[in-house]
């Protein structure tokens, strides 16, 4: 592609807004480099130009390559959705860490759930485009993990009508995963194993929560 741009996140400018400026500058595509604090935690967004977000380490290598030649080239290839990544799930850089800031004696979080690059139904047209027929979007954050956990709680109530809210919470927490699907400890944006202030009881496991064996109804 001609006239690619490498952008750094941060600076008080949203990722998609950066893409709009890239488009206005006439670039064909954009490579969005993480800030150092975000490490290897990358997100997908509904960009206005072909774009990819890369880790901080990868971004440094790309910038070094750009500065090493007078005619740097780049390609963005979509290789399809990857199912069953052995490193999944992981804790994103934006995920809240415990303990409670207001009362450090309260251990938080309770549990974690899917919240990164979630493809979901979307009520509004993207970019206020009245001609758009988009009915989906890709969003990351608590606004995605909360409905996942709420939906699981609703399913558990349907499957176990006599369970109280406390029993449902107990079932979700006591059956949560502390290991990724590759059988190794869950990692964070630094690719290092997380502690309990990042995962709480672990990553929610809906199937196991429906038959936890024991619930604490308190």
């Amino acid at each position: 592609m001609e006239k690619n741009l490498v952008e750094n996140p941060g600076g008080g400018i949203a990722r998609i807004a950066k893409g709009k400026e890239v488009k206005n500058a006439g670039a064909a595509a954009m490579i969005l480099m993480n800030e150092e604090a975000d490490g290897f935690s990358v997100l997908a967004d509904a960009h206005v130009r072909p774009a990819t977000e890369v880790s901080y380490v990868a971004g440094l290598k790309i910038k070094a390559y750009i500065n090493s030649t007078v005619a740097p080239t780049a390609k963005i290839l979509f290789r399809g959705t990857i199912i069953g990544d052995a490193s999944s799930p992981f804790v994103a850089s934006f995920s809240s860490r415990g303990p409670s800031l207001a009362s450090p004696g309260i251990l938080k979080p309770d549990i974690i759930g899917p919240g990164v690059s979630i493809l979901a139904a979307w009520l509004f047209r993207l970019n206020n485009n009245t001609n758009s027929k988009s009915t989906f979007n890709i969003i990351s954050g608590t606004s995605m993990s909360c409905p996942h956990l709420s939906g699981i709680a609703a399913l558990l109530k349907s499957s176990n009508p006599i369970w109280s809210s406390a029993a449902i919470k107990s079932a979700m927490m006591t059956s949560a995963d502390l290991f990724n699907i590759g059988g190794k400890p869950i990692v964070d944006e630094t690719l290092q194993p997380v502690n309990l202030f990042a995962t709480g009881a672990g990553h929610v496991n809906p199937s196991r929560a429906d038959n936890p064996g024991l619930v604490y109804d308190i």
Side-chain angles (χ1 to χ4, degrees):
M1 297 179 179
E2 295 182 356
K3 201 174 181 181
N4 293 327
L5 293 181
V6 177
E7 289 281 350
N8 284 80
I13 303 173
R15 295 183 301 275
I16 294 177
K18 289 178 182 288
K20 292 178 180 178
E21 292 303 315
V22 166
K23 178 182 178 181
N24 293 338
M30 175 178 70
I31 299 172
L32 194 60
M33 172 186 170
N34 263 0
E35 292 185 287
E36 185 172 6
D38 290 320
F40 292 87
S41 183
V42 295
L43 310 175
D45 289 301
H47 286 289
V48 296
R49 275 284 188 263
T52 186
E53 182 173 341
V54 299
S55 69
Y56 176 73
V57 172
L60 291 179
K61 292 179 179 179
I62 292 171
K63 282 191 169 184
Y65 163 67
I66 291 172
N67 294 328
S68 70
T69 177
V70 295
T73 61
K75 291 182 179 179
I76 297 176
L77 301 177
F78 177 62
R79 300 188 183 278
T81 301
I82 298 175
I83 304 296
D85 187 338
S87 63
S88 178
F90 71 93
V91 179
S93 58
F94 61 78
S95 186
S96 297
R97 266 63 167 183
S100 168
L101 293 178
S103 180
I106 299 177
L107 300 179
K108 291 291 176 179
D110 293 327
I111 195 170
I112 58 173
V116 176
S117 302
I118 304 299
L119 179 64
W122 191 250
L123 178 62
F124 307 101
R125 294 184 173 91
L126 299 182
N127 302 319
N128 295 318
N129 182 357
T130 57
N131 295 320
S132 172
K133 295 182 179 179
S134 297
T135 56
F136 62 91
N137 200 355
I138 297 179
I139 301 293
S140 298
T142 306
S143 56
M144 291 292 100
S145 57
C146 181
H148 272 89
L149 292 166
S150 299
I152 292 168
L155 289 173
L156 292 177
K157 182 64 175 179
S158 176
S159 179
N160 304 275
I162 66 171
W163 280 7
S164 66
S165 297
I168 292 172
K169 178 180 178 181
S170 167
M172 293 170 67
M173 291 179 64
T174 58
S175 61
D177 292 325
L178 289 173
F179 296 90
N180 59 33
I181 62 176
K184 297 181 179 180
I186 294 174
V187 300
D188 61 13
E189 70 277 6
T190 67
L191 300 185
Q192 297 301 310
V194 295
N195 60 35
L196 297 181
F197 289 129
T199 61
H203 191 276
V204 65
N205 186 321
S207 298
R208 287 174 53 185
D210 192 40
N211 186 23
L214 174 69
V215 292
Y216 298 93
D217 192 4
I218 56 175

